[in-house]
Amino acid sequence: MGIVAPSLAQLDGELEAHREQGRGIVTTNGVFDLLHVGHVRYLQAARALGDLLVVGVNSDRSTRALKGVSRPFVPESERAEVLAALACVDYVVVFDELTPVAFVRAVRPAVHAKGGDYCVDDMPETPIVRGFGGDVVTLPFVGGRSTSGLAARMAEEARK
């Protein structure tokens, strides 16, 4: 079971010990509002890229700014706890910014992973990760599986 870090600053000490042992740190980030099979497959693939996986979770405030006032459906503390319960996740930290730039700058991963629906060269975190010698990769996107899609289906069912 993973650990939910109270802050990036407190996570840094933990990660430094892993770096000293030569362990490859992988990061990814997202809202992870309603956890679904697409998330799980994606997180497992990200974890396979290194020795430990650190997941940055958008705060409730940043989720509202990115996804709209009806989101998130699940509070940040619960989203973090659910992610930390997955065997493939080692650390989870909530961040409040709209982009994961500060998160990846603080963690300094060997690899930063995102879903296949992103373009590596368009992501604001790419130059940060590459600047300290890390790599940015995209992982296969699981089509037809998204929180927005689930929410739309549930709303449609509720209307029937």
Side-chain angles (χ1 to χ4, degrees):
M1 184 163 155
I3 296 168
V4 177
S7 69
L8 280 170
Q10 290 181 318
L11 180 60
D12 188 54
E14 291 273 336
L15 296 179
E16 193 54 42
H18 290 293
R19 282 189 204 93
E20 288 172 5
Q21 296 169 7
R23 299 186 77 201
I25 298 170
V26 179
T27 56
T28 192
N29 66 280
V31 172
F32 300 103
D33 203 359
L34 297 177
L35 198 63
H36 54 74
V37 73
H39 288 136
V40 172
R41 291 176 186 168
Y42 164 75
L43 291 166
Q44 290 170 330
R47 175 60 173 77
L49 297 172
D51 298 310
L52 67 143
L53 178 61
V54 181
V55 180
V57 176
N58 287 84
S59 68
D60 291 347
R61 187 201 68 76
S62 66
T63 298
R64 279 189 294 279
L66 293 167
K67 303 285 187 178
V69 295
S70 66
R71 300 278 301 274
F73 301 118
V74 178
E76 63 192 44
S77 62
E78 293 178 20
R79 290 183 282 130
E81 184 177 340
V82 168
L83 287 167
L86 297 175
C88 59
V89 175
D90 297 285
Y91 296 95
V92 179
V93 65
V94 175
F95 67 92
D96 201 37
E97 297 78 21
L98 297 181
T99 72
V101 167
F103 164 69
V104 297
R105 185 177 285 128
V107 176
R108 301 183 315 277
V111 179
H112 180 67
K114 288 296 286 183
D117 52 335
Y118 287 86
C119 175
V120 169
D121 292 331
D122 293 341
M123 296 186 307
E125 61 269 35
T126 296
I128 306 302
V129 175
R130 288 179 176 163
F132 50 75
D135 192 19
V136 180
V137 300
T138 56
L139 299 171
F141 183 70
V142 179
R145 301 292 182 260
S146 72
T147 299
S148 298
L150 282 172
R153 280 194 1 242
M154 289 188 295
E156 180 60 31
E157 287 298 315
R159 282 191 286 276
K160 290 181 181 178

